[in-house]
Amino acid sequence: MTPREIAEAAVKALDSKLGENICLIATTKVTVVSDYFVIVNGNSNTHVRALADEVEYALSQQGIEATHIEGRATGWILLDYGCVVVHVFTPEAREYYNLEKLWADGEVVDISSFTEN
């Protein structure tokens, strides 16, 4: 799968579990860390875990496994797929870390074509 396809699959998985305020940022021109950041929030710690679990499951069905996972017990779970990094937050943690502002030089990708909302 291409980085774009992995990011798209992650967005679809998050959307299927009612992830809130899903944002996809193309970061290839601003960092070597990844090609895409996916940022989303759930409405509780339980929802955050469910969202992260759904991304892991959906991508594992495609043969894609995270190289690193952090934050299972916090309000921010990071799933690192190398070319795509998925950030799943509680609303409070998302507001505090404000990754959209931090990565404002990246290109926000229109996800309306691959989400149900």
Side-chain angles (χ1 to χ4, degrees):
M1 292 178 79
T2 67
R4 171 71 182 230
E5 291 169 334
I6 293 169
E8 191 172 322
V11 168
K12 287 179 180 179
L14 294 165
D15 186 57
S16 76
K17 289 293 183 185
L18 305 177
E20 299 174 353
N21 304 312
I22 303 169
C23 181
L24 177 60
I25 302 173
T27 56
T28 54
K29 294 180 181 176
V30 294
T31 184
V32 296
V33 172
S34 69
D35 294 322
Y36 292 95
F37 277 1
V38 180
I39 304 169
V40 64
N41 62 272
N43 54 33
S44 66
N45 283 326
T46 301
H47 191 204
V48 166
R49 284 189 300 275
L51 290 167
D53 289 347
E54 186 64 20
V55 170
E56 280 187 271
Y57 175 76
L59 289 176
S60 71
Q61 295 300 300
Q62 303 288 329
I64 308 294
E65 301 295 334
T67 59
H68 188 74
I69 299 172
E70 287 190 32
R72 285 268 185 225
T74 68
W76 177 6
I77 298 175
L78 180 141
L79 305 168
D80 186 350
Y81 290 93
C83 57
V84 176
V85 179
V86 179
H87 302 271
V88 187
F89 291 103
T90 60
E92 299 80 17
R94 185 172 184 172
E95 183 178 335
Y96 178 79
Y97 290 104
N98 200 0
L99 292 186
E100 289 92 339
K101 182 177 179 184
L102 183 65
W103 295 103
D105 291 340
E107 176 188 342
V108 175
V109 177
D110 179 8
I111 61 169
S112 61
S113 66
F114 44 90
T115 63
E116 297 174 11
N117 295 334

